[in-house]
Amino acid sequence: MKKLLSLLFAFVALSVCANAQKYVGGDISLLPTYEEHGVHYLGYGGNNEQVQDPVKYFADSAKWNAERVRLFVNPANASSEDKNEGVHQDLDYVTRLGKRIKDAGQAFMLDFHYSDTWTDPGQHATPMSWNSTNPDVLADSVYEYTKRCLQHLVANGAKPDFIQPGNEITYGMLWPTGHCYPSGANYGIGTFANFVKYLKSGIRACKEVCPDAKIVIQTEMSRSTNVTTFYNTLGSQVDYDVIGLSYYPDWHGPLTTLDGVLSTLESQHSDKEIMIVETGYEPKWQLDKPTYTPSQLGWALSEDGQKQFTADLINELNKHSKVTGLFWWLPEDNEFWADRNPARSTWWNASLYTQNTGKPLAAMFELRRFIESNTTGINNIKGGNAKSDKVDDKWFNLQGQRISKPTVKGLYINGGKKVVVK
């Protein structure tokens, strides 16, 4: 019987590999800030019932199985303008939110910004406290900071499942010394070699503290050729698992553009998973002028249009076997009942809440389709008795994801059996 269970578990493991676990959720980094400002989140439907814990609502009602959270080195050093736009996430803030995510049974993606404020293709300022232009000193700062943060998270029940050592790093990070072009060319005093040195230091710390976490390298798609060039230039210089992309149709073009990028990446980097770690589409016109218009993209500026974008995006992603993740950016943006004391100075018009009613939009529930077709075969495993049967240190959830020893009640896989943790 024991041999049979081992063979069955091996079969399931192969099934998991063939049907890689998929993740869907959002970057909910500002949720605690909205809650502090008295924002009301309501459930879907007409009863106007207030949701007490949005993280649990995302897991139980929206059926999301993952969340993403950013981390700044010292956001107290950010400008007032950046703070008003949402730069608040220090280590204590992220630890509390990360634990909520883990307690809700979701996977947790940690997004290191390695700066005191926003990082993106146009800005990657070195933290004030890392006052050096010596690449070796900065690499050591990256290592020590990453290690300290991860140790703190693990010790406080917020162990990440995915880690991004840098946010949208198409043009490097820790400017000016790590500023470079996707082709590998230098930018001023910045070099691609410095950039790789910083990446390696961050990843080394990740591997030491969270060896089971997958490493995500994120770029954005403002120029689709930059994406493929970047990953080809990076090659095997660093050890990572997932290609992470930002895709916003307003700025990056129609789904045909995304399709081309995904196909190229799958062909050239077949050993990597791919995730859309940021996306969004608005149910109304953005305040600033986007690159593309709704007529060019094919989706209306309405709740139905936002839902249709989501459906079409999922249909596109499901054509690509290497795509295993989809995360909506700032879905929690919601100023309902907080207008006199807003959490942000502006609204993110691609939120999944209506700002004046606090109700979720239909796209929130459309997102679950990305993982509904994901089957791993784990339900075929028979149950076991956790008290009498041998328990090993390798635990899996029912979606086939390797996890730490569970601390939350539920049904898990251990030693080739389903085990109930009470």
Side-chain angles (χ1 to χ4, degrees):
M1 182 65 179
K2 184 177 180 181
K3 184 176 181 181
L4 177 61
L5 285 171
S6 298
L7 290 172
L8 179 58
F9 190 62
F11 171 78
V12 171
L14 288 174
S15 178
V16 171
C17 293
N19 300 277
Q21 167 64 14
K22 296 170 73 172
Y23 299 87
V24 71
D27 185 316
I28 59 169
S29 300
L30 263 182
L31 178 61
T33 302
Y34 286 109
E35 292 172 323
E36 290 168 5
H37 283 255
V39 164
H40 283 201
Y41 290 94
L42 304 183
Y44 196 65
N47 58 7
N48 291 328
E49 182 177 350
Q50 187 173 348
V51 172
Q52 298 303 314
D53 185 353
V55 175
K56 194 172 187 304
Y57 185 82
F58 296 149
D60 295 344
S61 297
K63 305 298 183 184
W64 296 357
N65 63 351
E67 308 291 354
R68 177 179 184 251
V69 181
R70 61 179 170 265
L71 173 62
F72 300 106
V73 175
N74 187 1
N77 292 330
S79 68
S80 296
E81 180 181 359
D82 287 351
K83 290 176 183 176
N84 288 337
E85 286 298 319
V87 176
H88 305 292
Q89 295 76 19
D90 61 14
L91 182 57
D92 288 339
Y93 180 116
V94 171
T95 301
R96 291 191 296 270
L97 181 53
K99 187 176 188 307
R100 288 175 64 183
I101 292 167
K102 298 290 286 191
D103 287 349
Q106 296 179 302
F108 171 30
M109 180 180 290
L110 177 65
D111 177 18
F112 280 104
H113 274 241
Y114 293 134
S115 182
D116 294 330
T117 189
W118 300 115
T119 58
D120 55 47
Q123 55 187 343
H124 270 272
T126 298
M128 286 186 183
S129 59
W130 301 3
N131 186 24
S132 176
T133 56
N134 183 322
D136 292 330
V137 172
L138 289 173
D140 185 63
S141 295
V142 171
Y143 170 78
E144 293 295 340
Y145 168 75
T146 304
K147 184 176 181 179
R148 176 174 61 84
C149 289
L150 292 176
Q151 288 174 332
H152 182 84
L153 289 165
V154 170
N156 288 278
K159 183 180 179 180
D161 302 280
F162 299 92
I163 307 172
Q164 283 188 223
N167 181 79
E168 293 191 335
I169 53 177
T170 323
Y171 292 87
M173 62 185 182
L174 295 179
W175 293 358
T177 58
H179 201 172
C180 53
Y181 289 101
S183 64
N186 300 341
Y187 191 107
I189 67 169
T191 70
F192 201 88
N194 288 345
F195 165 55
V196 169
K197 184 190 293 284
Y198 304 150
L199 265 184
K200 284 184 175 179
S201 293
I203 293 172
R204 179 162 63 94
C206 294
K207 297 289 186 181
E208 289 177 3
V209 183
C210 299
D212 295 331
K214 290 188 175 182
I215 305 300
V216 182
I217 301 296
Q218 183 200 4
T219 58
E220 47 69 50
M221 284 184 45
S222 58
R223 295 182 181 178
S224 58
T225 54
N226 279 346
V227 175
T228 52
T229 298
F230 173 89
Y231 291 104
N232 286 337
T233 304
L234 186 62
S236 59
Q237 295 183 72
V238 301
D239 182 12
Y240 72 101
D241 306 286
V242 181
I243 291 172
L245 302 177
S246 296
Y247 169 68
Y248 298 98
D250 286 0
W251 308 107
H252 304 143
L255 290 175
T256 51
T257 300
L258 177 62
D259 175 61
V261 170
L262 293 175
S263 295
T264 301
L265 291 174
E266 285 182 310
S267 173
Q268 296 178 347
H269 306 279
S270 59
D271 60 326
K272 308 299 182 186
E273 296 178 41
I274 303 172
M275 292 186 175
I276 306 300
V277 296
E278 293 184 29
T279 195
Y281 186 78
E282 63 276 18
K284 58 183 179 179
W285 191 252
Q286 289 202 41
L287 299 178
D288 50 358
K289 185 178 180 181
T291 304
Y292 295 85
T293 66
S295 60
Q296 291 174 304
L297 296 171
W299 304 293
L301 292 169
S302 65
E303 181 175 2
D304 286 344
Q306 186 187 55
K307 179 182 178 182
Q308 188 61 53
F309 159 73
T310 307
D312 292 346
L313 174 61
I314 290 170
N315 290 340
E316 179 60 53
L317 297 182
N318 283 339
K319 297 176 185 176
H320 298 272
S321 61
K322 293 293 183 179
V323 177
T324 58
L326 174 59
F327 293 79
W328 198 278
W329 196 76
L330 196 53
E332 76 279 17
D333 187 33
N334 174 16
E335 297 289 354
F336 181 56
W337 278 35
D339 288 349
R340 294 184 179 179
N341 186 25
R344 293 181 73 234
S345 57
T346 59
W347 288 359
W348 163 235
N349 287 335
S351 169
L352 294 180
Y353 281 91
T354 52
Q355 303 278 353
N356 57 346
T357 70
K359 294 181 179 179
L361 294 163
M364 175 182 291
F365 307 93
E366 185 69 18
L367 281 166
R368 72 179 66 166
R369 280 206 312 108
F370 180 66
I371 59 174
E372 282 180 346
S373 61
N374 182 226
T375 57
T376 63
I378 277 183
N379 286 333
N380 296 324
I381 294 181
K382 303 300 182 182
N385 187 335
K387 293 183 178 179
S388 61
D389 293 331
K390 182 179 179 181
V391 175
D392 63 31
D393 61 354
K394 294 180 180 179
W395 290 84
F396 299 82
N397 61 23
L398 292 185
Q399 289 74 44
Q401 177 198 2
R402 175 75 180 273
I403 60 173
S404 304
K405 184 176 180 180
T407 56
V408 179
K409 296 179 181 179
L411 188 62
Y412 302 90
I413 305 299
N414 183 276
K417 305 182 186 72
K418 287 180 180 176
V419 176
V420 177
V421 175
K422 298 181 179 180

Short mmCIF file of all heavy atoms in Angstrom, two decimals, residues 82-131:
data_model
loop_
_atom_site.label_atom_id
_atom_site.label_comp_id
_atom_site.label_asym_id
_atom_site.label_seq_id
_atom_site.Cartn_x
_atom_site.Cartn_y
_atom_site.Cartn_z
N ASP A 82 4.98 61.78 -3.50
CA ASP A 82 5.02 60.32 -3.63
C ASP A 82 4.26 59.64 -2.49
O ASP A 82 3.59 58.62 -2.70
CB ASP A 82 6.46 59.83 -3.69
CG ASP A 82 7.12 60.14 -5.02
OD1 ASP A 82 6.42 60.58 -5.94
OD2 ASP A 82 8.35 59.95 -5.13
N LYS A 83 4.37 60.19 -1.30
CA LYS A 83 3.62 59.64 -0.18
C LYS A 83 2.12 59.74 -0.44
O LYS A 83 1.36 58.82 -0.14
CB LYS A 83 3.98 60.35 1.12
CG LYS A 83 5.39 60.05 1.62
CD LYS A 83 5.72 60.88 2.85
CE LYS A 83 7.15 60.64 3.30
NZ LYS A 83 7.53 61.51 4.44
N ASN A 84 1.70 60.86 -1.02
CA ASN A 84 0.28 61.04 -1.34
C ASN A 84 -0.19 60.10 -2.43
O ASN A 84 -1.39 59.86 -2.58
CB ASN A 84 0.02 62.49 -1.77
CG ASN A 84 0.09 63.46 -0.62
OD1 ASN A 84 -0.09 63.08 0.54
ND2 ASN A 84 0.35 64.73 -0.92
N GLU A 85 0.76 59.55 -3.19
CA GLU A 85 0.42 58.61 -4.25
C GLU A 85 0.52 57.15 -3.79
O GLU A 85 0.27 56.24 -4.57
CB GLU A 85 1.32 58.84 -5.46
CG GLU A 85 0.98 60.08 -6.26
CD GLU A 85 -0.41 60.03 -6.87
OE1 GLU A 85 -0.80 58.96 -7.35
OE2 GLU A 85 -1.11 61.04 -6.82
N GLY A 86 0.94 56.94 -2.54
CA GLY A 86 0.90 55.58 -2.03
C GLY A 86 2.21 54.99 -1.57
O GLY A 86 2.31 53.77 -1.37
N VAL A 87 3.25 55.79 -1.37
CA VAL A 87 4.54 55.28 -0.89
C VAL A 87 4.51 55.23 0.64
O VAL A 87 4.77 56.22 1.31
CB VAL A 87 5.71 56.15 -1.39
CG1 VAL A 87 7.03 55.66 -0.81
CG2 VAL A 87 5.76 56.14 -2.91
N HIS A 88 4.14 54.09 1.19
CA HIS A 88 4.04 53.92 2.64
C HIS A 88 4.64 52.62 3.14
O HIS A 88 4.80 52.44 4.34
CB HIS A 88 2.56 53.91 3.07
CG HIS A 88 1.79 55.10 2.64
ND1 HIS A 88 2.00 56.36 3.15
CD2 HIS A 88 0.78 55.24 1.74
CE1 HIS A 88 1.17 57.22 2.59
NE2 HIS A 88 0.43 56.56 1.73
N GLN A 89 4.96 51.70 2.26
CA GLN A 89 5.19 50.31 2.63
C GLN A 89 6.60 50.06 3.17
O GLN A 89 7.52 49.74 2.41
CB GLN A 89 4.89 49.39 1.44
CG GLN A 89 3.44 49.40 1.00
CD GLN A 89 3.04 50.64 0.20
OE1 GLN A 89 3.91 51.35 -0.31
NE2 GLN A 89 1.75 50.90 0.11
N ASP A 90 6.75 50.19 4.49
CA ASP A 90 8.02 49.80 5.11
C ASP A 90 7.90 48.35 5.58
O ASP A 90 6.89 47.68 5.35
CB ASP A 90 8.38 50.75 6.25
CG ASP A 90 7.35 50.77 7.37
OD1 ASP A 90 6.48 49.87 7.43
OD2 ASP A 90 7.41 51.69 8.21
N LEU A 91 8.94 47.85 6.25
CA LEU A 91 8.98 46.43 6.59
C LEU A 91 7.86 46.02 7.54
O LEU A 91 7.24 44.97 7.37
CB LEU A 91 10.35 46.07 7.18
CG LEU A 91 10.56 44.60 7.54
CD1 LEU A 91 10.34 43.70 6.33
CD2 LEU A 91 11.96 44.39 8.11
N ASP A 92 7.59 46.83 8.55
CA ASP A 92 6.53 46.47 9.50
C ASP A 92 5.17 46.43 8.81
O ASP A 92 4.35 45.53 9.06
CB ASP A 92 6.50 47.47 10.66
CG ASP A 92 7.68 47.30 11.60
OD1 ASP A 92 8.28 46.20 11.61
OD2 ASP A 92 8.01 48.25 12.32
N TYR A 93 4.91 47.40 7.95
CA TYR A 93 3.66 47.47 7.19
C TYR A 93 3.51 46.20 6.34
O TYR A 93 2.46 45.54 6.36
CB TYR A 93 3.72 48.71 6.31
CG TYR A 93 2.54 49.00 5.41
CD1 TYR A 93 1.78 50.15 5.62
CD2 TYR A 93 2.21 48.20 4.33
CE1 TYR A 93 0.71 50.47 4.78
CE2 TYR A 93 1.15 48.49 3.50
CZ TYR A 93 0.40 49.64 3.71
OH TYR A 93 -0.65 49.93 2.88
N VAL A 94 4.56 45.85 5.62
CA VAL A 94 4.50 44.69 4.71
C VAL A 94 4.38 43.39 5.50
O VAL A 94 3.69 42.46 5.07
CB VAL A 94 5.74 44.68 3.79
CG1 VAL A 94 5.82 43.38 3.00
CG2 VAL A 94 5.70 45.88 2.85
N THR A 95 5.03 43.32 6.64
CA THR A 95 4.94 42.11 7.47
C THR A 95 3.51 41.86 7.91
O THR A 95 3.01 40.73 7.83
CB THR A 95 5.86 42.23 8.69
OG1 THR A 95 7.20 42.44 8.26
CG2 THR A 95 5.80 40.97 9.55
N ARG A 96 2.83 42.90 8.37
CA ARG A 96 1.45 42.74 8.81
C ARG A 96 0.54 42.31 7.66
O ARG A 96 -0.30 41.41 7.81
CB ARG A 96 0.93 44.05 9.43
CG ARG A 96 1.59 44.41 10.76
CD ARG A 96 0.87 45.55 11.44
NE ARG A 96 0.94 46.78 10.66
CZ ARG A 96 1.89 47.70 10.76
NH1 ARG A 96 2.90 47.51 11.63
NH2 ARG A 96 1.87 48.80 10.04
N LEU A 97 0.71 42.96 6.50
CA LEU A 97 -0.13 42.61 5.36
C LEU A 97 0.23 41.24 4.82
O LEU A 97 -0.65 40.45 4.44
CB LEU A 97 0.02 43.68 4.27
CG LEU A 97 -0.82 43.48 3.00
CD1 LEU A 97 -2.30 43.29 3.32
CD2 LEU A 97 -0.62 44.66 2.04
N GLY A 98 1.52 40.92 4.78
CA GLY A 98 1.94 39.61 4.31
C GLY A 98 1.38 38.48 5.16
O GLY A 98 0.97 37.44 4.64
N LYS A 99 1.33 38.69 6.47
CA LYS A 99 0.77 37.66 7.35
C LYS A 99 -0.73 37.49 7.10
O LYS A 99 -1.24 36.36 7.13
CB LYS A 99 1.02 38.02 8.82
CG LYS A 99 0.61 36.90 9.77
CD LYS A 99 0.95 37.22 11.20
CE LYS A 99 0.71 36.00 12.11
NZ LYS A 99 -0.64 35.43 11.97
N ARG A 100 -1.43 38.58 6.84
CA ARG A 100 -2.86 38.47 6.51
C ARG A 100 -3.05 37.63 5.25
O ARG A 100 -3.97 36.81 5.16
CB ARG A 100 -3.46 39.86 6.31
CG ARG A 100 -3.63 40.67 7.57
CD ARG A 100 -4.12 42.07 7.28
NE ARG A 100 -5.46 42.09 6.70
CZ ARG A 100 -6.08 43.21 6.30
NH1 ARG A 100 -5.46 44.39 6.39
NH2 ARG A 100 -7.29 43.15 5.79
N ILE A 101 -2.19 37.85 4.28
CA ILE A 101 -2.28 37.10 3.02
C ILE A 101 -2.04 35.62 3.27
O ILE A 101 -2.79 34.76 2.80
CB ILE A 101 -1.27 37.67 2.00
CG1 ILE A 101 -1.69 39.09 1.57
CG2 ILE A 101 -1.14 36.75 0.80
CD1 ILE A 101 -0.61 39.84 0.82
N LYS A 102 -0.99 35.32 4.02
CA LYS A 102 -0.68 33.91 4.31
C LYS A 102 -1.78 33.27 5.16
O LYS A 102 -2.14 32.11 4.94
CB LYS A 102 0.67 33.81 5.02
CG LYS A 102 1.85 34.33 4.21
CD LYS A 102 2.18 33.45 3.03
CE LYS A 102 2.86 32.18 3.50
NZ LYS A 102 3.43 31.40 2.35
N ASP A 103 -2.31 34.00 6.11
CA ASP A 103 -3.37 33.47 6.96
C ASP A 103 -4.65 33.20 6.17
O ASP A 103 -5.46 32.35 6.57
CB ASP A 103 -3.67 34.43 8.12
CG ASP A 103 -2.58 34.43 9.18
OD1 ASP A 103 -1.71 33.54 9.14
OD2 ASP A 103 -2.61 35.32 10.05
N ALA A 104 -4.82 33.91 5.06
CA ALA A 104 -5.99 33.69 4.20
C ALA A 104 -5.77 32.51 3.26
O ALA A 104 -6.64 32.20 2.44
CB ALA A 104 -6.31 34.96 3.41
N GLY A 105 -4.61 31.87 3.36
CA GLY A 105 -4.31 30.71 2.52
C GLY A 105 -3.84 31.05 1.13
O GLY A 105 -3.85 30.20 0.24
N GLN A 106 -3.39 32.29 0.93
CA GLN A 106 -2.95 32.73 -0.39
C GLN A 106 -1.43 32.72 -0.50
O GLN A 106 -0.71 32.80 0.50
CB GLN A 106 -3.47 34.14 -0.68
CG GLN A 106 -4.99 34.22 -0.76
CD GLN A 106 -5.44 35.64 -1.02
OE1 GLN A 106 -5.14 36.56 -0.27
NE2 GLN A 106 -6.16 35.84 -2.11
N ALA A 107 -0.94 32.66 -1.73
CA ALA A 107 0.49 32.83 -1.98
C ALA A 107 0.82 34.32 -1.88
O ALA A 107 -0.01 35.18 -2.18
CB ALA A 107 0.85 32.29 -3.35
N PHE A 108 2.05 34.61 -1.48
CA PHE A 108 2.49 35.98 -1.22
C PHE A 108 3.69 36.30 -2.11
O PHE A 108 4.72 35.64 -2.01
CB PHE A 108 2.83 36.11 0.26
CG PHE A 108 3.50 37.39 0.68
CD1 PHE A 108 3.26 38.59 0.02
CD2 PHE A 108 4.37 37.40 1.76
CE1 PHE A 108 3.89 39.76 0.43
CE2 PHE A 108 5.01 38.55 2.18
CZ PHE A 108 4.76 39.74 1.50
N MET A 109 3.54 37.30 -2.98
CA MET A 109 4.63 37.78 -3.82
C MET A 109 5.16 39.08 -3.22
O MET A 109 4.42 40.05 -3.08
CB MET A 109 4.19 38.01 -5.26
CG MET A 109 5.32 38.52 -6.16
SD MET A 109 4.82 38.81 -7.89
CE MET A 109 4.56 37.13 -8.46
N LEU A 110 6.43 39.10 -2.88
CA LEU A 110 7.08 40.28 -2.31
C LEU A 110 7.86 41.01 -3.39
O LEU A 110 8.68 40.40 -4.09
CB LEU A 110 8.03 39.85 -1.18
CG LEU A 110 8.84 40.96 -0.53
CD1 LEU A 110 7.95 41.95 0.20
CD2 LEU A 110 9.88 40.37 0.43
N ASP A 111 7.64 42.32 -3.49
CA ASP A 111 8.24 43.14 -4.54
C ASP A 111 9.20 44.16 -3.92
O ASP A 111 8.79 45.22 -3.47
CB ASP A 111 7.11 43.83 -5.32
CG ASP A 111 7.62 44.77 -6.40
OD1 ASP A 111 8.79 44.65 -6.79
OD2 ASP A 111 6.83 45.63 -6.86
N PHE A 112 10.49 43.82 -3.89
CA PHE A 112 11.51 44.75 -3.39
C PHE A 112 11.69 45.90 -4.39
O PHE A 112 12.01 45.66 -5.56
CB PHE A 112 12.85 44.03 -3.23
CG PHE A 112 12.99 43.22 -1.98
CD1 PHE A 112 12.91 41.83 -2.03
CD2 PHE A 112 13.24 43.82 -0.76
CE1 PHE A 112 13.06 41.06 -0.89
CE2 PHE A 112 13.39 43.06 0.40
CZ PHE A 112 13.30 41.68 0.33
N HIS A 113 11.56 47.13 -3.92
CA HIS A 113 11.83 48.27 -4.78
C HIS A 113 13.28 48.75 -4.68
O HIS A 113 13.75 49.48 -5.54
CB HIS A 113 10.88 49.44 -4.47
CG HIS A 113 9.58 49.35 -5.20
ND1 HIS A 113 9.14 50.30 -6.08
CD2 HIS A 113 8.62 48.41 -5.19
CE1 HIS A 113 7.96 49.96 -6.59
NE2 HIS A 113 7.63 48.81 -6.05
N TYR A 114 14.00 48.39 -3.64
CA TYR A 114 15.39 48.81 -3.44
C TYR A 114 15.55 50.31 -3.63
O TYR A 114 16.47 50.79 -4.29
CB TYR A 114 16.33 48.04 -4.37
CG TYR A 114 16.44 46.57 -4.06
CD1 TYR A 114 16.37 45.61 -5.07
CD2 TYR A 114 16.62 46.12 -2.75
CE1 TYR A 114 16.47 44.25 -4.77
CE2 TYR A 114 16.71 44.76 -2.45
CZ TYR A 114 16.63 43.84 -3.47
OH TYR A 114 16.73 42.49 -3.18
N SER A 115 14.63 51.04 -3.04
CA SER A 115 14.64 52.49 -3.09
C SER A 115 13.74 52.99 -1.96
O SER A 115 12.97 52.21 -1.38
CB SER A 115 14.12 52.99 -4.45
OG SER A 115 14.16 54.41 -4.52
N ASP A 116 13.80 54.28 -1.68
CA ASP A 116 12.90 54.88 -0.69
C ASP A 116 11.57 55.27 -1.31
O ASP A 116 10.65 55.66 -0.58
CB ASP A 116 13.55 56.12 -0.06
CG ASP A 116 14.79 55.77 0.76
OD1 ASP A 116 14.85 54.65 1.31
OD2 ASP A 116 15.70 56.63 0.84
N THR A 117 11.48 55.18 -2.62
CA THR A 117 10.26 55.63 -3.31
C THR A 117 10.06 54.78 -4.57
O THR A 117 10.73 53.77 -4.77
CB THR A 117 10.34 57.13 -3.63
OG1 THR A 117 9.06 57.58 -4.10
CG2 THR A 117 11.42 57.44 -4.65
N TRP A 118 9.13 55.22 -5.42
CA TRP A 118 8.78 54.46 -6.62
C TRP A 118 10.01 54.12 -7.46
O TRP A 118 10.92 54.94 -7.63
CB TRP A 118 7.83 55.26 -7.50
CG TRP A 118 6.52 55.65 -6.89
CD1 TRP A 118 6.09 56.92 -6.62
CD2 TRP A 118 5.45 54.77 -6.51
NE1 TRP A 118 4.83 56.88 -6.08
CE2 TRP A 118 4.40 55.58 -6.00
CE3 TRP A 118 5.27 53.39 -6.54
CZ2 TRP A 118 3.20 55.04 -5.53
CZ3 TRP A 118 4.08 52.86 -6.07
CH2 TRP A 118 3.06 53.68 -5.58
N THR A 119 9.99 52.93 -8.02
CA THR A 119 10.96 52.57 -9.05
C THR A 119 10.19 52.06 -10.26
O THR A 119 9.19 51.35 -10.14
CB THR A 119 11.93 51.46 -8.56
OG1 THR A 119 11.18 50.31 -8.16
CG2 THR A 119 12.77 51.95 -7.41
N ASP A 120 10.67 52.46 -11.42
CA ASP A 120 10.06 52.10 -12.70
C ASP A 120 11.06 52.45 -13.79
O ASP A 120 12.18 52.86 -13.46
CB ASP A 120 8.70 52.81 -12.89
CG ASP A 120 8.79 54.31 -12.76
OD1 ASP A 120 9.70 54.93 -13.36
OD2 ASP A 120 7.93 54.91 -12.07
N PRO A 121 10.73 52.31 -15.07
CA PRO A 121 11.73 52.58 -16.11
C PRO A 121 12.30 53.99 -16.10
O PRO A 121 13.36 54.23 -16.69
CB PRO A 121 10.95 52.31 -17.41
CG PRO A 121 9.89 51.37 -17.02
CD PRO A 121 9.48 51.75 -15.63
N GLY A 122 11.63 54.92 -15.41
CA GLY A 122 12.11 56.30 -15.40
C GLY A 122 12.79 56.72 -14.12
O GLY A 122 13.31 57.84 -14.03
N GLN A 123 12.83 55.84 -13.11
CA GLN A 123 13.44 56.22 -11.83
C GLN A 123 13.80 55.00 -11.01
O GLN A 123 12.99 54.07 -10.85
CB GLN A 123 12.48 57.11 -11.03
CG GLN A 123 11.11 56.51 -10.80
CD GLN A 123 10.14 57.47 -10.16
OE1 GLN A 123 10.53 58.48 -9.60
NE2 GLN A 123 8.86 57.16 -10.24
N HIS A 124 15.03 55.00 -10.50
CA HIS A 124 15.49 53.93 -9.62
C HIS A 124 16.51 54.52 -8.66
O HIS A 124 17.67 54.10 -8.61
CB HIS A 124 16.13 52.79 -10.42
CG HIS A 124 15.19 51.73 -10.85
ND1 HIS A 124 14.88 50.64 -10.08
CD2 HIS A 124 14.43 51.60 -11.97
CE1 HIS A 124 14.00 49.86 -10.70
NE2 HIS A 124 13.72 50.43 -11.85
N ALA A 125 16.08 55.48 -7.86
CA ALA A 125 17.00 56.18 -6.96
C ALA A 125 17.53 55.25 -5.88
O ALA A 125 16.78 54.49 -5.26
CB ALA A 125 16.30 57.37 -6.32
N THR A 126 18.83 55.29 -5.66
CA THR A 126 19.45 54.53 -4.58
C THR A 126 18.96 55.06 -3.24
O THR A 126 18.84 56.27 -3.06
CB THR A 126 20.98 54.66 -4.66
OG1 THR A 126 21.43 54.11 -5.91
CG2 THR A 126 21.67 53.92 -3.53
N PRO A 127 18.65 54.19 -2.27
CA PRO A 127 18.17 54.65 -0.95
C PRO A 127 19.16 55.62 -0.31
O PRO A 127 20.38 55.47 -0.46
CB PRO A 127 18.07 53.35 -0.14
CG PRO A 127 17.90 52.28 -1.17
CD PRO A 127 18.68 52.72 -2.36
N MET A 128 18.63 56.61 0.41
CA MET A 128 19.48 57.62 1.03
C MET A 128 20.51 57.01 1.97
O MET A 128 21.66 57.45 2.04
CB MET A 128 18.62 58.62 1.81
CG MET A 128 17.85 59.59 0.97
SD MET A 128 17.02 60.82 2.02
CE MET A 128 16.12 61.75 0.76
N SER A 129 20.09 55.97 2.70
CA SER A 129 21.00 55.38 3.69
C SER A 129 22.10 54.55 3.06
O SER A 129 23.08 54.21 3.73
CB SER A 129 20.20 54.52 4.68
OG SER A 129 19.50 53.49 4.00
N TRP A 130 21.96 54.22 1.79
CA TRP A 130 23.00 53.47 1.09
C TRP A 130 23.88 54.49 0.35
O TRP A 130 23.99 54.49 -0.87
CB TRP A 130 22.40 52.48 0.10
CG TRP A 130 21.49 51.46 0.74
CD1 TRP A 130 21.13 51.39 2.04
CD2 TRP A 130 20.84 50.38 0.07
NE1 TRP A 130 20.28 50.33 2.24
CE2 TRP A 130 20.09 49.68 1.05
CE3 TRP A 130 20.80 49.94 -1.26
CZ2 TRP A 130 19.30 48.58 0.74
CZ3 TRP A 130 20.03 48.83 -1.55
CH2 TRP A 130 19.29 48.14 -0.56
N ASN A 131 24.51 55.33 1.09
CA ASN A 131 25.21 56.49 0.55
C ASN A 131 26.59 56.09 0.02
O ASN A 131 27.61 56.29 0.68
CB ASN A 131 25.34 57.57 1.64
CG ASN A 131 25.94 58.85 1.11
OD1 ASN A 131 25.86 59.13 -0.09
ND2 ASN A 131 26.54 59.62 1.99
#
